[in-house]
Amino acid sequence: MKSFRAVLAAALLALPLGAAAQSYPAKPVRVFIGYAAGSSTDIVGRVMADRLGAYWKQSVIVENRGGAAGNLAADATAKSPGDGYTLLFAQNGLAISAAALPNLPFSAERDLLPLAPVAATPHILIVGPDFPAKNVQELIARAKANPGKLSFASSGIGNSDHLCGELFNMMAGIQAIHVPYKGGAPAVQDVLPGRVDYYFAGMPVGLPLANSGRARALGVTSKTRYPAAPNTPTIAEQGLPGYEATLWQGFFAPASIDSALGARIAGDVEAVLKQPETRANLGKAGVALFEDNQANFRKFFHADIEKWRNLVKSTHLKLE
């Protein structure tokens, strides 16, 4: 009888949480994005917020908290109630920070729960339209002829585009000055007129600029040519074999979120990603989908942290 009562009590305690998951969302949902409006992660995050709002028939409000490589937004999310009404839309920078910055005021591994992946897309190396180099080989030659004088932009120290640049410089054997910004949009404002020389932009930012002629695309960071930019050669085929980097993006929640509610939100994101309108909107931004389930995304996220942790250790890269 005692064990029956224990089982019954546990079942009764679980009922409110199950009901919460079933009735979610009953009020507007807030999504933190750790980058400036107009950045690649912001563009994709806003597409998803709009589509989720339509799916839920509830407002999904995006709040940009740019700076500190996305960690201001991550910290705010980690310290929010785990009721499903505060989510984080993040990218590689979260894993890189977890690997390289031990003194953050939160732990991405303990305080945040990966919910659902959304996109996994290469970066596109762009320069201003008046920049002298027309391809990667010419960029490398120019950098070698002017050691320490060229500069490259990023959306913040420790972000994916920053590591793209560091990897490129290391593999090419060049020296360049890193200029961090609070997002991709402010970065390109200095790249286009030539105040900063080059930038490994996210596709949603860099591809439209290249297609419009406002920027020149020198290469993509994927292993093979990217379908949305078929005429842009890979960096690997331009003298740096083995060069490859991907920008992933997805939803996270405070780790205190109920597992049933977390699974409900993850399932809703998966459902929205299957909608033709969502795919069309992300396709216009040059984004490739990262379609997987919550369990695999959690494994992927923790494996990505270990990958960057090993790279930071082996290269002695300092991000603070």
Side-chain angles (χ1 to χ4, degrees):
M1 179 66 71
K2 185 176 180 180
S3 63
F4 172 77
R5 286 175 177 171
V7 170
L8 180 61
L12 289 173
L13 284 172
L15 279 177
L17 296 175
Q22 291 174 8
S23 62
Y24 176 89
K27 62 181 182 179
V29 177
R30 178 174 58 175
V31 176
F32 282 124
I33 296 178
Y35 306 93
S39 302
S40 295
T41 301
D42 175 74
I43 291 169
V44 177
R46 286 179 183 275
V47 168
M48 292 303 299
D50 179 68
R51 299 305 302 150
L52 281 169
Y55 187 79
W56 285 333
K57 296 179 173 59
Q58 185 61 263
S59 297
V60 178
I61 302 166
V62 170
E63 185 173 327
N64 295 92
R65 289 206 178 180
N71 289 314
L72 297 180
D75 184 43
T77 306
K79 292 181 169 73
S80 295
D83 55 8
Y85 291 97
T86 299
L87 303 176
L88 173 70
F89 192 72
Q91 47 110 303
N92 305 52
L94 184 62
I96 295 167
S97 293
L101 302 175
N103 298 319
L104 289 173
F106 70 97
S107 168
E109 295 173 277
R110 294 191 306 271
D111 300 333
L112 292 170
L113 179 70
L115 287 183
V118 171
T121 308
H123 291 265
I124 184 167
L125 172 57
I126 62 170
V127 295
D130 298 324
F131 189 73
K134 301 296 191 296
N135 53 51
V136 168
Q137 292 98 326
E138 291 182 5
L139 172 61
I140 293 173
R142 186 172 181 82
K144 287 185 175 180
N146 299 276
K149 293 185 178 179
L150 267 64
S151 57
F152 70 101
S154 82
S155 59
I157 296 173
N159 278 331
S160 179
D161 48 9
H162 174 204
L163 272 292
C164 278
E166 296 288 359
L167 181 63
F168 176 80
N169 296 343
M170 182 181 69
M171 292 182 66
I174 62 175
Q175 298 175 10
I177 300 168
H178 174 223
V179 184
Y181 293 83
K182 291 186 177 181
V188 298
Q189 290 176 5
D190 279 350
V191 173
L192 297 184
R195 288 189 288 270
V196 177
D197 296 304
Y198 58 99
Y199 176 40
F200 286 85
M203 281 289 173
V205 170
L207 187 59
L209 292 171
N211 287 341
S212 68
R214 295 179 61 201
R216 182 187 305 123
L218 301 188
V220 293
T221 65
S222 46
K223 184 181 296 185
T224 58
R225 294 202 182 195
Y226 190 57
N231 296 321
T232 303
T234 67
I235 291 171
E237 68 183 275
Q238 298 185 76
L240 292 183
Y243 184 95
E244 183 183 4
T246 302
L247 171 66
W248 61 257
Q249 296 155 327
F251 283 98
F252 291 74
S256 58
I257 192 170
D258 169 57
S259 59
L261 180 55
R264 159 70 195 276
I265 297 171
D268 289 350
V269 172
E270 288 183 41
V272 165
L273 284 172
K274 292 177 181 177
Q275 295 176 337
E277 186 171 348
T278 304
R279 290 175 175 267
N281 289 345
L282 292 175
K284 290 176 185 176
V287 170
L289 299 186
F290 182 172
E291 296 175 280
D292 212 332
N293 59 39
Q294 184 185 9
N296 287 340
F297 185 44
R298 291 176 68 179
K299 293 176 184 177
F300 170 86
F301 177 63
H302 292 293
D304 203 42
I305 293 174
E306 285 305 308
K307 179 187 78 174
W308 291 115
R309 189 170 281 146
N310 291 334
L311 177 66
V312 168
K313 286 181 180 179
S314 63
T315 60
H316 306 288
L317 183 64
K318 301 294 184 182
L319 299 182
E320 293 183 286

